[in-house]
Amino acid sequence: MALTLEELVGRFGGEVVGDRARQVGSLAPLDQAGPQQLAFLANPKYLSQVETTQAGAVLISPADLAKLGSSEGRNFIVTPNPYAYFARVAQMFIDLATPKAPAGVHPSAVIDAAAKVAPSAVIGPHVVVEAGAVIGENVRLDANVVVGRGTQIGEGSHLYPNVAVYYGCKIGPRAIIHSGAVIGSDGFGFAPDFVGEGDVRTGSWVKIPQVGGVSIGPDVEIGANTTIDRGAMADTIIEECVKIDNLVQIGHNCKIGAYTVIAGCAGIAGSTTIGRHCMIGGAVGIAGHVTLADYVIVTAKSGVSKSLLKPGMYTSAFPAVDHADWNKSAALMRNLDKLRDRIKALEAAAAARDNT
Amino acid sequence: MALTLEELVGRFGGEVVGDRARQVGSLAPLDQAGPQQLAFLANPKYLSQVETTQAGAVLISPADLAKLGSSEGRNFIVTPNPYAYFARVAQMFIDLATPKAPAGVHPSAVIDAAAKVAPSAVIGPHVVVEAGAVIGENVRLDANVVVGRGTQIGEGSHLYPNVAVYYGCKIGPRAIIHSGAVIGSDGFGFAPDFVGEGDVRTGSWVKIPQVGGVSIGPDVEIGANTTIDRGAMADTIIEECVKIDNLVQIGHNCKIGAYTVIAGCAGIAGSTTIGRHCMIGGAVGIAGHVTLADYVIVTAKSGVSKSLLKPGMYTSAFPAVDHADWNKSAALMRNLDKLRDRIKALEAAAAARDNT
Amino acid sequence: MALTLEELVGRFGGEVVGDRARQVGSLAPLDQAGPQQLAFLANPKYLSQVETTQAGAVLISPADLAKLGSSEGRNFIVTPNPYAYFARVAQMFIDLATPKAPAGVHPSAVIDAAAKVAPSAVIGPHVVVEAGAVIGENVRLDANVVVGRGTQIGEGSHLYPNVAVYYGCKIGPRAIIHSGAVIGSDGFGFAPDFVGEGDVRTGSWVKIPQVGGVSIGPDVEIGANTTIDRGAMADTIIEECVKIDNLVQIGHNCKIGAYTVIAGCAGIAGSTTIGRHCMIGGAVGIAGHVTLADYVIVTAKSGVSKSLLKPGMYTSAFPAVDHADWNKSAALMRNLDKLRDRIKALEAAAAARDNT
């Protein structure tokens, strides 16, 4: 399977410089690509590799092309974003090479008579779809996926094996949800109902019913074993094109703004609103009931306990250093007030001296 | 479906002030409730909304009722804890509105002949129950739940889709376990069996068999994708009414005291004992082999490396601030010993000066 | 089921001191063991218990045996590593006591006609094995396990219920993978394709196809709900005898060196290389694209943002202390530059004074 450069720009845009009839059938790095392969230059520091590459053609930005001494005898697709272009072409070649599962419902799947499954959907073995659920066109539900009562899965979405979506949720078109993710589990809410203190305290935690849902916009990707809780009354909301990594926890009634990315192991407590185009680093923790503005970046391992209302980069994490050195600094840090008091004493002594 | 205030106090306690025959059929916030709805006042700062609400009745504490100018023409259920009362009533209305799955075993479930399943239990599609397991009355096992050999699930428990409980565990009555949770996986224990150092080290890690179980008391809730390891010899123990959020890790041979709550993404290493009525914040990490007293609170993102033997609140987390500001402070923090040495030098110089 | 000491040393090595015909049938701690039980001394501080134990025999090191006044009337197996020996013997007794599932494929499993399953494998209920997958001899796939297209599971491996392994992965012999673990999910990679800034930004994140696999060496154990992403182009690599705890995230194209152990809740971002014999503590976070040397230890809750190229122990975590005390220190820490400036001012004043 190969396409000409002309066919590629017909599908993905950009302009051909060189031989429009040149065919390429796969992608490779500049230093490894052969004459039937397409390479890309995303970082100008590899410009010299463009001079020597054996690639059949190179994806390049207009600025980088202009830096080249000569393009003679070489073929290019010129595009403002060669890396994104590469990603799109690579995806196409993969789709062409991947065997398509035939549409239809595997005989071992259990589909409630009151559910609607589009004819083009691919429903794998042991899938369970409950009453009132709606499975859109070209949806793919892999083995053991469970879709609860009344939940909607938008067209073109792909749920990998063992995903569970509880009842009453709505998942936008073209979602990708990786294995083990759980959407719509109960938010963590309990009313304390205790009498007395200490050893004589009696009573219990009373569960607050969680009857909101989860509403997920278009083009969202959700990583493996990530959990997104349903809202207490209103929905938990994930807007379009949010990308969430593995093992992330999103509490009830959070709202995650469009295009925000959240790296692995992050946790966001309930009722927090994160703006659009934010970047939440790995293992970041964000408290409940706070607001992050659009374009906020929180670096990995940091903790957010208050609202961050201005765009910008925020941090509260230390990098690991030699254990003994760290312990020395940490001990001083726990006694900073003593250092401060010693400075105060020196200042007072100096002032007394100056006054005499 | 509506109940009179008299019927509500018959079921849930409290006292009616106003029209005992007033009917309500659902719950709503004070500012949105209509004449057929029940609202609640949990926070005195919303007291003025009680004057203007359209709610058919309001749950209120005696103290807040006393603050009202007049209750004339209004209906109340007076209870010391309106929030918990609200939660209980809301749960009842939800239960009434939710279609009940019929008791019985789905034909696709695989139940070992040597397992016991109570007739009132609801066993969903593709559930697996192994030999010797005992499934109590009114238990609900959703799709794909796996219950290992000899494991007991107490009456009224609800295991959501894709929960796995290994062999030899005991789960108390009225448990709620959310999707993807794993109960009874092997604790993380290996004996080093290596000879030599550095490049010539040879040998391997030898697995320590984990033959204890997990013992979970009554009224426990466990969040989605949370993991609770089985003990090495004795059981890992979760006492009654413990509430655990999503993506929490509990190591082998931990004991979690009754009424303790653990927020999402927390991790507790093996053989640690946590007291009763503790509150463990989100993403808290607790070392192995330590003890936390009753009524200990650990704030979110903190790390506990030693026992905390007195009740109280403990912290070791910083809130994220502007990245550049943080880096400046962090660099100084790593060189605190130099600041300390400069203070020492100033003190020595001052002392020398004073002595001359 | 009992074995003589002679039979034990025949299987596991070591030397008998005492009655070679003595039979033992299980293991127990020194202070609880009876005449048919085997105990072990791993820590010399319990040496006195060896004098009084009722155990039929004791596993002991040559050094500890030499410390005993007399071994008369007692039986020992002498081995350099009694703890590892104990683990191996305990595992054997457990294996003997555990009912063996018969080889074969459960009728509810869905095995593609183009998959190969060894005759000795035990394939549980509702397992799914896709085309081209190869399941080795004595493999055990528990209920609901899903093995993707072309994936190989090496001989003797045990995948617990609800494990998902995506397509094109390779899992070495004797792996143990606990419930809910996900192997081979897509790495987290997106090319930004946006135009404009702030409110007028348009565009999207373009998914970078993840077509590498995951390659897992022999004798690896992977904890419950742990996730290991597939590589973007090349494989993510886990070398032999790596032990990974629960809820760990390993990003795409990581390489984890042999014998390294990773405790629960740790997260390792993409393209990071960890050496051999490392110990990564619980809830540690490691940035992407960094390298850790062999024999690096990172203590629990620490964050690694740069390469650690020398063996040793590294830390960046604080232990939780009283909340109010912490807040006092934390406020000073955020203003360390002010303390530093006060020291500077004192130094300048002292210098000025000395010069006059």
Side-chain angles (χ1 to χ4, degrees), chain A residues 145-337:
Chain A
V145 165
V146 179
V147 177
R149 196 159 34 84
T151 283
Q152 300 172 35
I153 310 290
E155 56 166 331
S157 292
H158 182 182
L159 278 58
Y160 280 88
N162 298 346
V163 168
V165 188
Y166 282 47
Y167 69 94
C169 296
K170 195 174 165 186
I171 295 184
R174 297 174 303 281
I176 298 174
I177 306 185
H178 287 284
S179 285
V182 177
I183 313 295
S185 41
D186 283 354
F188 194 61
F190 303 90
D193 191 29
F194 293 99
V195 174
E197 292 295 324
D199 290 350
V200 298
R201 199 183 193 196
T202 58
S204 70
W205 293 101
V206 182
K207 183 175 175 70
I208 310 291
Q210 306 289 311
V211 297
V214 177
S215 174
I216 296 182
D219 300 303
V220 168
E221 182 157 349
I222 295 171
N225 284 345
T226 279
T227 56
I228 303 178
D229 278 346
R230 64 189 317 109
M233 307 281 278
D235 285 0
T236 302
I237 295 171
I238 314 291
E239 293 187 344
E240 80 249 36
C241 209
V242 167
K243 307 295 184 186
I244 303 175
D245 200 354
N246 298 350
L247 289 170
V248 171
Q249 150 70 356
I250 296 185
H252 52 173
N253 297 107
C254 281
K255 179 181 172 190
I256 313 295
Y259 306 102
T260 285
V261 295
I262 303 177
C265 305
I268 303 172
S271 299
T272 277
T273 296
I274 295 182
R276 296 159 59 93
H277 298 290
C278 291
M279 305 185 79
I280 308 301
V284 163
I286 303 181
H289 297 275
V290 304
T291 298
L292 273 61
D294 296 349
Y295 295 96
V296 161
I297 298 169
V298 184
T299 64
K301 276 280 207 186
S302 296
V304 177
S305 59
K306 291 182 183 166
S307 291
L308 301 173
L309 300 175
K310 289 185 189 169
M313 186 181 290
Y314 297 87
T315 299
S316 69
F318 292 96
V321 294
D322 175 81
H323 180 68
D325 289 348
W326 174 266
N327 278 357
K328 219 169 7 174
S329 296
L332 287 165
M333 146 78 193
R334 275 195 298 279
N335 291 292
L336 268 181
D337 52 338

